[in-house]
Amino acid sequence: MQRIFNFSAGPSTLPTDVLIEAQAELVNYKGLGLSIMEDSHRSKAYDAIHHEAMDNLRALLNLSTEYEVLFLTGGATGQFAMVPLNLLGPGQTADYTNSGAWAAKAIKEAQVIGKVNVIANCGKEIPTRVPRMEELTFTPDAAYVHITSNETISGAQWPSFPETKAPLVADMSSDILSRPIDVSPFGLIYAGAQKNLGPAGVTVVILRKDLAERVPDSVPLFYRYKTHMEANSLYNTPPCFPIYMLALVTRWLRAQGGVEAMAAVNRRKADKLYEAIDASEFYQGTALPEFRSTMNVTFRLPSEELEARFVKEAAQQGMSGLKGHRSVGGIRASIYNAMPEAGVDALINFMQAFAKDNG
Ligand SMILES: *Cc1c(COP(=O)(O)O)cnc(C)c1O
């Protein structure tokens, strides 16, 4: 079986070992004579998976008992609505930072629900970046402050996080578990799974428990964090199979040495790729160097024709998913935890040869 290097931004590559394990268990899970995806979400076997996935996340993020791990559906996009529904009461203001396409989408949805103050806006700047700390002026008594820790489309990432009086809320869809973070300043972290955690279908929410009490009575039960918290994320049928995959991916991550070990590999992968970009006049990085993402490496070639040829020839050599997001063009190499270093090395070799042939 020949696996390609898949640089897709999401859904994205999964650890091959995890896929092999899932395959081995797919038809007959642990001798029970059924697949885990066929089993009841109240079964003993599924219960163990559900709890292992939660415990692995708790361990990897070093979560205190102040925080709850929730498994929801609806993607990060669902959270764009659920966050303000739960945390932004009448008469309150939420601070949002606009750092790019995903932040803008979160802002648009929050504006439907309540009062939003966009406290920094660099979302349309090129080169791309996220706000600088000195640009942030918070609203006194803001309900919360929202950031997008990594802009998957533009390839810009917060190198560190702002200090806020209000709870910090972060969309970490594309960089959760890629680097160690101190969770304590955060009131809420959310992430769709299909970038760095597993397949699409489960949305992870890390919630400081006291915030669940804020929800106005007008919010339907299903859209309250409190409902899912009290039901241990089993209020309705959870996406059992994606959660099973999440359990395997987080188990794999712990076996790799956890987030610190993964961050060292991620740093090395990103550094060498950016070095290859900077070493050649042919390639131009899209993000300001101080805000370059370690997960989504974005760059341009001298023309759109060359970019199209780059994507096509890379695919012929077993490297897929390199086309930039349709809204911005260019090239994007997504190098999440599960992208092996050999994949980045292969891409760099290809880039050097391509620049030589076409430069
Ligand atoms: C992919 C992505 C989203 C959207 O996720 P869905 O699961 O498709 O809703 C939101 N925010 C960021 C930062 C993303 O990378």
Side-chain angles (χ1 to χ4, degrees), residues 266-354:
N266 288 337
R267 187 76 265 163
R268 211 162 57 226
K269 289 190 302 191
D271 282 351
K272 65 166 99 168
L273 193 43
Y274 285 117
E275 255 169 52
I277 291 167
D278 292 341
S280 159
E281 296 278 300
F282 190 74
Y283 300 109
Q284 297 294 328
T286 312
L288 275 185
E290 60 184 302
F291 300 112
R292 283 173 162 177
S293 169
T294 57
M295 296 282 100
N296 310 97
V297 176
T298 51
F299 54 99
R300 307 289 323 213
L301 273 61
S303 72
E304 287 182 19
E305 290 70 32
L306 282 168
E307 287 169 349
R309 192 186 308 164
F310 179 96
V311 170
K312 191 164 157 238
E313 288 183 18
Q316 284 162 354
Q317 296 188 31
M319 289 166 274
S320 75
L322 286 163
K323 195 171 187 293
H325 191 269
R326 54 193 150 67
S327 62
V328 293
I331 306 294
R332 170 175 55 174
S334 297
I335 52 171
Y336 301 120
N337 288 350
M339 171 55 67
E341 198 162 352
V344 175
D345 292 338
L347 177 60
I348 291 169
N349 284 336
F350 170 75
M351 286 168 67
Q352 287 166 347
F354 190 89

Coordinates of all heavy atoms in Angstrom, one line a residue, residues 266-354:
N266 N 7.4 19.8 15.4 CA 6.7 20.8 14.6 C 7.6 22.0 14.3 O 7.5 22.6 13.2 CB 5.4 21.2 15.3 CG 4.3 20.2 15.3 OD1 4.4 19.3 14.4 ND2 3.4 20.2 16.2
R267 N 8.3 22.5 15.3 CA 9.2 23.6 15.1 C 10.3 23.3 14.0 O 10.5 24.1 13.2 CB 9.9 23.9 16.5 CG 10.8 25.1 16.6 CD 9.9 26.4 16.8 NE 9.8 27.0 15.5 CZ 8.9 27.9 15.2 NH1 8.0 28.3 16.1 NH2 8.8 28.5 14.0
R268 N 10.8 22.1 14.1 CA 11.8 21.7 13.2 C 11.3 21.6 11.7 O 11.9 22.1 10.8 CB 12.4 20.3 13.6 CG 13.8 20.1 13.2 CD 14.5 19.0 14.0 NE 13.8 17.7 13.8 CZ 13.4 16.9 14.8 NH1 13.7 17.2 16.1 NH2 12.8 15.8 14.6
K269 N 10.1 21.0 11.6 CA 9.5 20.9 10.3 C 9.2 22.3 9.7 O 9.5 22.6 8.6 CB 8.1 20.2 10.4 CG 8.3 18.7 10.7 CD 6.9 17.9 10.6 CE 5.9 18.4 11.5 NZ 4.7 17.6 11.5
A270 N 8.6 23.2 10.5 CA 8.2 24.5 10.0 C 9.5 25.3 9.7 O 9.6 26.0 8.7 CB 7.4 25.3 11.1
D271 N 10.5 25.3 10.6 CA 11.7 26.1 10.4 C 12.4 25.7 9.1 O 12.8 26.6 8.3 CB 12.7 25.9 11.5 CG 12.3 26.7 12.8 OD1 11.4 27.5 12.7 OD2 12.9 26.5 13.8
K272 N 12.5 24.4 8.8 CA 13.2 24.0 7.6 C 12.4 24.4 6.3 O 13.0 24.8 5.3 CB 13.7 22.6 7.6 CG 12.6 21.5 7.6 CD 13.3 20.1 7.3 CE 13.6 19.3 8.6 NZ 13.9 17.9 8.3
L273 N 11.1 24.3 6.4 CA 10.3 24.7 5.3 C 10.4 26.2 5.0 O 10.5 26.7 3.9 CB 8.8 24.3 5.5 CG 7.8 24.3 4.4 CD1 8.4 23.7 3.1 CD2 6.6 23.5 4.7
Y274 N 10.3 27.0 6.1 CA 10.4 28.5 5.9 C 11.8 28.8 5.4 O 12.0 29.8 4.6 CB 10.1 29.2 7.2 CG 8.6 29.3 7.5 CD1 8.0 28.6 8.6 CD2 7.7 29.9 6.6 CE1 6.7 28.7 8.8 CE2 6.4 30.0 6.8 CZ 5.8 29.3 8.0 OH 4.5 29.4 8.2
E275 N 12.8 28.1 5.9 CA 14.2 28.3 5.4 C 14.3 28.1 3.9 O 14.9 28.9 3.2 CB 15.2 27.4 6.1 CG 16.0 28.0 7.2 CD 16.7 26.9 8.0 OE1 17.4 26.1 7.4 OE2 16.6 27.0 9.2
A276 N 13.6 27.1 3.4 CA 13.6 26.7 2.0 C 12.9 27.9 1.2 O 13.4 28.2 0.1 CB 12.9 25.4 1.7
I277 N 11.9 28.4 1.8 CA 11.2 29.5 1.1 C 12.1 30.8 1.1 O 12.3 31.4 0.0 CB 9.9 29.9 1.9 CG1 8.9 28.7 1.7 CG2 9.3 31.2 1.4 CD1 7.7 28.8 2.6
D278 N 12.7 31.1 2.2 CA 13.6 32.3 2.3 C 14.8 32.2 1.5 O 15.4 33.2 1.1 CB 13.9 32.6 3.8 CG 12.6 33.0 4.5 OD1 11.6 33.4 3.9 OD2 12.6 32.9 5.8
A279 N 15.3 30.9 1.3 CA 16.6 30.7 0.6 C 16.4 31.0 -0.9 O 17.4 31.1 -1.6 CB 17.1 29.3 0.8
S280 N 15.2 31.1 -1.4 CA 15.0 31.3 -2.8 C 14.2 32.5 -3.2 O 13.2 32.8 -2.5 CB 14.3 30.0 -3.3 OG 13.6 30.3 -4.6
E281 N 14.6 33.2 -4.2 CA 13.9 34.4 -4.7 C 12.5 33.9 -5.3 O 11.6 34.7 -5.4 CB 14.7 35.1 -5.7 CG 16.0 35.7 -5.2 CD 15.7 37.1 -4.6 OE1 15.2 38.0 -5.2 OE2 16.0 37.2 -3.3
F282 N 12.5 32.7 -5.7 CA 11.4 32.1 -6.4 C 10.1 32.0 -5.5 O 9.0 32.2 -6.0 CB 11.8 30.7 -6.9 CG 10.8 30.1 -7.8 CD1 10.7 30.5 -9.2 CD2 10.0 29.0 -7.4 CE1 9.9 29.9 -10.1 CE2 9.1 28.4 -8.3 CZ 9.1 28.9 -9.6
Y283 N 10.3 31.8 -4.2 CA 9.2 31.6 -3.3 C 9.1 32.9 -2.4 O 10.1 33.4 -1.9 CB 9.4 30.4 -2.4 CG 9.5 29.1 -3.3 CD1 10.7 28.4 -3.4 CD2 8.4 28.6 -3.9 CE1 10.8 27.3 -4.2 CE2 8.4 27.5 -4.7 CZ 9.6 26.8 -4.8 OH 9.7 25.6 -5.6
Q284 N 7.9 33.3 -2.1 CA 7.6 34.4 -1.2 C 6.7 34.0 -0.1 O 5.5 33.6 -0.4 CB 7.0 35.6 -1.9 CG 7.9 36.2 -3.0 CD 9.1 36.9 -2.5 OE1 9.1 37.4 -1.3 NE2 10.2 36.9 -3.2
G285 N 7.1 34.0 1.2 CA 6.2 33.7 2.3 C 5.1 34.7 2.3 O 5.2 35.8 2.0
T286 N 3.9 34.2 2.8 CA 2.7 35.0 2.8 C 2.6 35.8 4.1 O 2.0 36.9 4.1 CB 1.4 34.2 2.6 OG1 1.7 33.3 1.4 CG2 0.2 35.0 2.3
A287 N 3.0 35.2 5.2 CA 2.8 35.8 6.5 C 4.1 36.6 6.9 O 5.2 36.2 6.5 CB 2.5 34.7 7.5
L288 N 3.9 37.6 7.7 CA 5.0 38.3 8.3 C 5.8 37.3 9.2 O 5.2 36.5 9.9 CB 4.5 39.4 9.3 CG 4.2 40.8 8.7 CD1 3.9 41.7 9.8 CD2 5.3 41.3 7.8
P289 N 7.2 37.3 9.1 CA 7.9 36.2 9.7 C 7.6 36.0 11.2 O 7.5 34.9 11.7 CB 9.4 36.7 9.5 CG 9.3 37.4 8.2 CD 8.0 38.1 8.1
E290 N 7.4 37.1 12.0 CA 7.1 36.9 13.4 C 5.8 36.2 13.7 O 5.6 35.7 14.8 CB 7.2 38.2 14.2 CG 6.2 39.2 13.7 CD 6.4 40.6 14.3 OE1 6.3 40.7 15.6 OE2 6.6 41.6 13.6
F291 N 4.9 36.1 12.7 CA 3.6 35.5 12.9 C 3.4 34.3 12.1 O 2.3 33.8 11.9 CB 2.5 36.5 12.6 CG 2.5 37.8 13.5 CD1 2.9 39.0 12.9 CD2 2.3 37.7 14.8 CE1 2.9 40.1 13.7 CE2 2.4 38.8 15.6 CZ 2.7 40.1 15.0
R292 N 4.5 33.7 11.5 CA 4.4 32.6 10.7 C 3.8 31.4 11.4 O 4.3 31.1 12.5 CB 5.7 32.2 10.1 CG 6.1 33.1 9.0 CD 7.6 32.8 8.6 NE 7.8 33.4 7.2 CZ 9.0 33.3 6.6 NH1 10.0 32.8 7.2 NH2 9.2 33.8 5.4
S293 N 2.9 30.7 10.8 CA 2.3 29.5 11.4 C 3.2 28.3 11.3 O 3.8 28.1 10.3 CB 1.0 29.2 10.7 OG 0.5 28.0 11.1
T294 N 3.2 27.5 12.4 CA 4.0 26.3 12.3 C 3.1 25.2 11.7 O 3.6 24.1 11.5 CB 4.4 25.8 13.7 OG1 3.2 25.7 14.6 CG2 5.4 26.7 14.4
M295 N 1.8 25.5 11.5 CA 0.9 24.4 11.0 C 0.5 24.6 9.5 O 0.4 23.6 8.8 CB -0.4 24.5 11.8 CG -0.2 24.2 13.3 SD -0.1 22.4 13.6 CE 1.6 22.2 13.8
N296 N 0.3 25.8 9.1 CA -0.1 26.1 7.7 C 0.9 27.0 7.1 O 0.9 28.2 7.4 CB -1.5 26.7 7.6 CG -2.5 25.8 8.5 OD1 -2.8 26.2 9.6 ND2 -3.0 24.8 7.9
V297 N 1.8 26.5 6.2 CA 2.9 27.3 5.7 C 2.4 27.8 4.3 O 2.2 27.0 3.4 CB 4.1 26.4 5.6 CG1 5.3 27.2 4.9 CG2 4.6 26.0 7.0
T298 N 2.2 29.1 4.2 CA 1.6 29.7 3.0 C 2.7 30.5 2.2 O 3.5 31.2 2.8 CB 0.5 30.6 3.3 OG1 0.9 31.5 4.3 CG2 -0.7 29.8 3.8
F299 N 2.7 30.3 0.9 CA 3.7 31.1 0.1 C 3.2 31.2 -1.3 O 2.2 30.6 -1.8 CB 5.1 30.4 0.1 CG 5.1 29.0 -0.2 CD1 5.5 28.5 -1.5 CD2 4.8 28.0 0.7 CE1 5.6 27.2 -1.8 CE2 4.9 26.6 0.4 CZ 5.3 26.2 -0.8
R300 N 3.8 32.1 -2.1 CA 3.5 32.4 -3.5 C 4.7 32.1 -4.4 O 5.8 32.1 -3.9 CB 3.1 33.9 -3.6 CG 2.1 34.5 -2.7 CD 0.7 34.1 -3.0 NE 0.2 33.9 -4.3 CZ -1.0 34.2 -4.7 NH1 -1.9 34.8 -3.9 NH2 -1.4 33.8 -5.9
L301 N 4.3 31.8 -5.6 CA 5.3 31.7 -6.7 C 5.2 32.9 -7.6 O 4.3 33.7 -7.4 CB 5.0 30.4 -7.5 CG 5.7 29.1 -6.9 CD1 5.2 28.8 -5.5 CD2 5.4 27.9 -7.8
P302 N 6.1 33.1 -8.5 CA 6.1 34.3 -9.3 C 4.8 34.5 -10.1 O 4.4 35.6 -10.5 CB 7.3 34.2 -10.3 CG 8.2 33.2 -9.6 CD 7.3 32.3 -8.8
S303 N 4.0 33.5 -10.5 CA 2.8 33.6 -11.2 C 1.8 32.5 -10.8 O 2.2 31.5 -10.3 CB 3.0 33.6 -12.7 OG 3.3 32.2 -13.1
E304 N 0.5 32.8 -11.1 CA -0.5 31.8 -10.8 C -0.4 30.6 -11.7 O -0.7 29.5 -11.3 CB -1.9 32.4 -11.0 CG -2.3 33.4 -9.9 CD -3.7 34.0 -10.0 OE1 -4.5 33.4 -10.7 OE2 -3.9 35.0 -9.3
E305 N 0.2 30.8 -12.9 CA 0.4 29.6 -13.8 C 1.4 28.7 -13.2 O 1.3 27.5 -13.2 CB 1.0 30.1 -15.2 CG 0.0 30.8 -16.1 CD -0.4 32.2 -15.5 OE1 0.4 32.9 -14.9 OE2 -1.6 32.6 -15.7
L306 N 2.5 29.3 -12.6 CA 3.5 28.5 -12.0 C 3.0 27.8 -10.7 O 3.3 26.6 -10.5 CB 4.8 29.3 -11.6 CG 5.7 29.7 -12.8 CD1 6.7 30.8 -12.4 CD2 6.4 28.4 -13.3
E307 N 2.1 28.5 -10.0 CA 1.5 27.8 -8.8 C 0.7 26.6 -9.2 O 0.7 25.6 -8.6 CB 0.6 28.9 -8.1 CG 1.5 29.9 -7.3 CD 0.7 31.1 -6.8 OE1 -0.5 31.3 -7.1 OE2 1.3 31.9 -6.0
A308 N -0.1 26.8 -10.3 CA -0.9 25.7 -10.8 C 0.0 24.5 -11.2 O -0.3 23.3 -10.9 CB -1.8 26.1 -11.9
R309 N 1.1 24.8 -11.9 CA 2.0 23.7 -12.3 C 2.7 23.1 -11.1 O 2.9 21.9 -11.0 CB 3.0 24.3 -13.2 CG 3.9 23.2 -13.9 CD 5.0 23.7 -14.8 NE 4.6 24.8 -15.7 CZ 5.5 25.6 -16.3 NH1 6.8 25.5 -16.1 NH2 5.0 26.5 -17.2
F310 N 3.0 23.9 -10.1 CA 3.6 23.4 -8.9 C 2.7 22.4 -8.2 O 3.1 21.3 -7.8 CB 3.9 24.6 -7.9 CG 4.5 24.3 -6.6 CD1 5.9 24.4 -6.4 CD2 3.7 23.9 -5.5 CE1 6.4 24.1 -5.2 CE2 4.3 23.6 -4.3 CZ 5.6 23.7 -4.1
V311 N 1.4 22.7 -8.1 CA 0.5 21.9 -7.4 C 0.3 20.5 -8.2 O 0.3 19.5 -7.6 CB -0.9 22.6 -7.3 CG1 -2.0 21.6 -6.8 CG2 -0.8 23.7 -6.3
K312 N 0.3 20.7 -9.5 CA 0.1 19.5 -10.3 C 1.3 18.6 -10.3 O 1.1 17.3 -10.1 CB -0.2 20.0 -11.8 CG -0.7 18.9 -12.7 CD -1.3 19.5 -14.0 CE -1.2 18.5 -15.1 NZ -0.5 18.9 -16.3
E313 N 2.5 19.2 -10.4 CA 3.7 18.3 -10.4 C 3.9 17.7 -9.1 O 4.4 16.5 -9.0 CB 4.9 19.1 -11.0 CG 4.8 19.3 -12.4 CD 6.0 20.1 -13.0 OE1 7.1 20.1 -12.4 OE2 5.9 20.6 -14.1
A314 N 3.6 18.4 -8.0 CA 3.8 17.9 -6.7 C 2.9 16.7 -6.5 O 3.3 15.6 -6.0 CB 3.5 18.9 -5.6
A315 N 1.7 16.8 -7.0 CA 0.7 15.7 -6.9 C 1.2 14.4 -7.6 O 1.1 13.3 -7.1 CB -0.7 16.1 -7.4
Q316 N 1.8 14.7 -8.8 CA 2.4 13.6 -9.6 C 3.5 12.9 -8.8 O 3.8 11.7 -9.0 CB 2.9 14.1 -10.9 CG 1.8 14.4 -11.9 CD 2.2 15.3 -13.1 OE1 3.4 15.8 -13.1 NE2 1.4 15.5 -14.0
Q317 N 4.1 13.6 -7.9 CA 5.2 13.0 -7.1 C 4.8 12.6 -5.7 O 5.6 12.5 -4.8 CB 6.4 14.0 -7.0 CG 7.0 14.3 -8.4 CD 8.3 15.1 -8.3 OE1 9.0 15.0 -7.4 NE2 8.5 15.9 -9.3
G318 N 3.5 12.5 -5.5 CA 2.9 11.9 -4.3 C 2.8 12.9 -3.1 O 2.8 12.6 -2.0
M319 N 2.6 14.2 -3.5 CA 2.4 15.3 -2.5 C 1.1 16.0 -2.8 O 1.1 16.8 -3.8 CB 3.5 16.2 -2.4 CG 4.8 15.6 -1.8 SD 6.3 16.5 -2.1 CE 6.8 15.9 -3.6
S320 N 0.0 15.8 -2.1 CA -1.3 16.4 -2.5 C -1.7 17.5 -1.5 O -1.1 17.7 -0.4 CB -2.3 15.3 -2.4 OG -2.7 14.9 -1.1
G321 N -2.7 18.2 -1.9 CA -3.4 19.2 -1.0 C -2.6 20.5 -0.8 O -2.8 21.2 0.1
L322 N -1.8 20.8 -1.8 CA -0.9 22.0 -1.6 C -1.5 23.3 -2.2 O -1.0 24.3 -2.0 CB 0.5 21.7 -2.3 CG 1.4 20.7 -1.5 CD1 2.5 20.2 -2.4 CD2 2.0 21.4 -0.3
K323 N -2.7 23.2 -2.8 CA -3.3 24.4 -3.4 C -3.8 25.2 -2.2 O -4.4 24.7 -1.3 CB -4.5 23.9 -4.2 CG -5.0 25.0 -5.2 CD -6.0 24.3 -6.1 CE -6.6 25.2 -7.2 NZ -7.4 26.3 -6.8
G324 N -3.5 26.5 -2.3 CA -4.0 27.5 -1.3 C -5.5 27.5 -1.3 O -6.1 27.1 -2.2
H325 N -6.1 28.0 -0.2 CA -7.5 28.2 -0.1 C -8.1 29.0 -1.3 O -7.4 29.9 -1.7 CB -7.9 28.9 1.2 CG -9.3 28.8 1.6 ND1 -10.2 29.8 1.2 CD2 -10.1 27.9 2.2 CE1 -11.4 29.4 1.6 NE2 -11.4 28.3 2.2
R326 N -9.2 28.6 -1.7 CA -9.8 29.2 -3.0 C -9.9 30.7 -2.8 O -9.9 31.4 -3.8 CB -11.1 28.5 -3.3 CG -12.1 28.5 -2.2 CD -13.3 27.5 -2.6 NE -13.9 26.9 -1.4 CZ -14.6 27.5 -0.4 NH1 -14.8 28.8 -0.5 NH2 -15.1 26.9 0.6
S327 N -10.1 31.2 -1.6 CA -10.3 32.6 -1.4 C -9.0 33.4 -1.6 O -9.1 34.6 -1.8 CB -10.9 32.9 0.0 OG -10.0 32.5 1.0
V328 N -7.8 32.8 -1.4 CA -6.6 33.6 -1.4 C -5.6 33.1 -2.5 O -4.7 33.8 -2.8 CB -5.9 33.6 0.0 CG1 -6.7 34.4 1.0 CG2 -5.6 32.2 0.5
G329 N -5.7 31.9 -2.9 CA -4.8 31.4 -3.9 C -3.4 31.0 -3.3 O -3.3 30.8 -2.1
G330 N -2.4 30.9 -4.1 CA -1.1 30.6 -3.6 C -1.0 29.1 -3.2 O -1.8 28.3 -3.6
I331 N 0.1 28.9 -2.5 CA 0.4 27.5 -2.0 C 0.2 27.4 -0.5 O 0.6 28.4 0.2 CB 1.8 27.1 -2.4 CG1 2.0 27.3 -3.9 CG2 2.1 25.7 -2.0 CD1 1.2 26.4 -4.8
R332 N -0.3 26.4 0.0 CA -0.4 26.1 1.4 C 0.0 24.7 1.7 O -0.7 23.8 1.2 CB -1.8 26.4 1.9 CG -2.0 26.0 3.4 CD -3.4 26.4 3.9 NE -4.5 25.9 3.1 CZ -5.8 26.1 3.4 NH1 -6.1 26.7 4.5 NH2 -6.7 25.6 2.6
A333 N 1.0 24.6 2.5 CA 1.4 23.2 3.0 C 1.0 23.1 4.5 O 1.5 23.8 5.3 CB 2.9 23.1 2.9
S334 N 0.0 22.3 4.7 CA -0.4 22.1 6.1 C 0.4 20.9 6.7 O 0.4 19.8 6.2 CB -1.9 21.8 6.2 OG -2.6 22.9 5.7
I335 N 1.1 21.2 7.8 CA 2.0 20.3 8.3 C 1.7 20.0 9.8 O 2.5 20.3 10.7 CB 3.5 20.7 8.2 CG1 3.7 22.2 8.7 CG2 3.9 20.7 6.7 CD1 5.2 22.6 8.7
Y336 N 0.5 19.5 10.0 CA 0.0 19.2 11.4 C 0.8 18.1 12.0 O 1.7 17.5 11.4 CB -1.5 18.8 11.3 CG -2.4 19.8 10.6 CD1 -3.1 19.5 9.5 CD2 -2.5 21.1 11.2 CE1 -3.9 20.5 8.9 CE2 -3.3 22.0 10.6 CZ -4.0 21.7 9.5 OH -4.8 22.7 8.9
N337 N 0.5 17.8 13.3 CA 1.2 16.8 14.0 C 1.5 15.5 13.2 O 2.6 14.9 13.3 CB 0.5 16.4 15.3 CG 0.4 17.5 16.3 OD1 1.2 18.5 16.2 ND2 -0.4 17.3 17.4
A338 N 0.5 15.1 12.5 CA 0.6 13.7 11.9 C 1.4 13.8 10.6 O 1.6 12.7 10.0 CB -0.8 13.2 11.6
M339 N 1.8 15.0 10.1 CA 2.7 15.0 8.9 C 4.1 14.6 9.3 O 4.7 15.3 10.1 CB 2.7 16.4 8.3 CG 3.7 16.6 7.2 SD 3.6 15.5 5.8 CE 2.0 15.9 5.1
P340 N 4.6 13.5 8.8 CA 5.9 13.1 9.2 C 7.0 14.1 8.6 O 6.8 14.7 7.6 CB 6.1 11.7 8.5 CG 4.9 11.5 7.6 CD 3.9 12.6 7.8
E341 N 8.1 14.2 9.3 CA 9.2 15.0 8.9 C 9.6 14.7 7.5 O 10.0 15.5 6.7 CB 10.3 14.9 9.9 CG 11.3 16.1 9.8 CD 12.2 16.3 11.0 OE1 12.0 15.6 12.0 OE2 13.1 17.1 10.9
A342 N 9.5 13.4 7.1 CA 9.9 12.9 5.8 C 9.1 13.6 4.7 O 9.5 13.8 3.6 CB 9.8 11.4 5.7
G343 N 7.8 13.9 5.1 CA 7.0 14.6 4.1 C 7.4 16.0 3.8 O 7.4 16.5 2.7
V344 N 7.9 16.7 4.9 CA 8.4 18.0 4.7 C 9.7 18.0 3.9 O 10.0 18.8 3.1 CB 8.6 18.7 6.1 CG1 9.3 20.1 6.0 CG2 7.2 18.8 6.8
D345 N 10.6 17.0 4.2 CA 11.8 16.9 3.5 C 11.6 16.6 2.0 O 12.2 17.2 1.1 CB 12.6 15.7 4.1 CG 13.2 16.0 5.5 OD1 13.3 17.2 5.8 OD2 13.4 15.1 6.2
A346 N 10.6 15.8 1.7 CA 10.2 15.5 0.3 C 9.7 16.8 -0.4 O 10.1 17.1 -1.5 CB 9.2 14.4 0.2
L347 N 8.9 17.6 0.3 CA 8.4 18.8 -0.2 C 9.5 19.8 -0.5 O 9.6 20.4 -1.6 CB 7.4 19.4 0.7 CG 6.8 20.8 0.3 CD1 6.1 20.7 -1.1 CD2 5.8 21.3 1.4
I348 N 10.5 19.9 0.4 CA 11.6 20.8 0.2 C 12.4 20.4 -1.0 O 12.8 21.3 -1.8 CB 12.5 20.9 1.5 CG1 11.7 21.6 2.6 CG2 13.8 21.6 1.3 CD1 12.3 21.5 4.0
N349 N 12.7 19.1 -1.1 CA 13.4 18.7 -2.3 C 12.7 19.0 -3.6 O 13.3 19.5 -4.6 CB 13.6 17.1 -2.2 CG 14.7 16.8 -1.2 OD1 15.6 17.6 -0.9 ND2 14.6 15.6 -0.7
F350 N 11.4 18.8 -3.6 CA 10.6 19.1 -4.8 C 10.7 20.6 -5.0 O 10.8 21.1 -6.2 CB 9.1 18.7 -4.6 CG 8.2 19.2 -5.6 CD1 8.2 18.6 -6.9 CD2 7.4 20.3 -5.3 CE1 7.4 19.1 -7.9 CE2 6.5 20.8 -6.3 CZ 6.6 20.2 -7.6
M351 N 10.5 21.4 -4.0 CA 10.6 22.9 -4.2 C 11.9 23.4 -4.8 O 11.9 24.2 -5.7 CB 10.4 23.6 -2.8 CG 8.9 23.6 -2.3 SD 8.8 24.1 -0.6 CE 9.2 25.8 -0.7
Q352 N 13.0 22.8 -4.3 CA 14.3 23.2 -4.9 C 14.4 22.8 -6.3 O 14.8 23.6 -7.2 CB 15.4 22.5 -4.0 CG 15.5 23.2 -2.6 CD 16.3 22.5 -1.6 OE1 16.6 21.3 -1.8 NE2 16.6 23.1 -0.5
A353 N 14.0 21.6 -6.7 CA 14.0 21.2 -8.1 C 13.1 22.0 -8.9 O 13.5 22.4 -10.1 CB 13.7 19.7 -8.2
F354 N 11.9 22.3 -8.4 CA 10.9 23.1 -9.2 C 11.4 24.5 -9.5 O 11.3 25.0 -10.6 CB 9.6 23.1 -8.5 CG 8.5 23.6 -9.3 CD1 7.7 22.8 -10.1 CD2 8.2 25.0 -9.3 CE1 6.7 23.3 -10.9 CE2 7.1 25.5 -10.0 CZ 6.4 24.7 -10.8

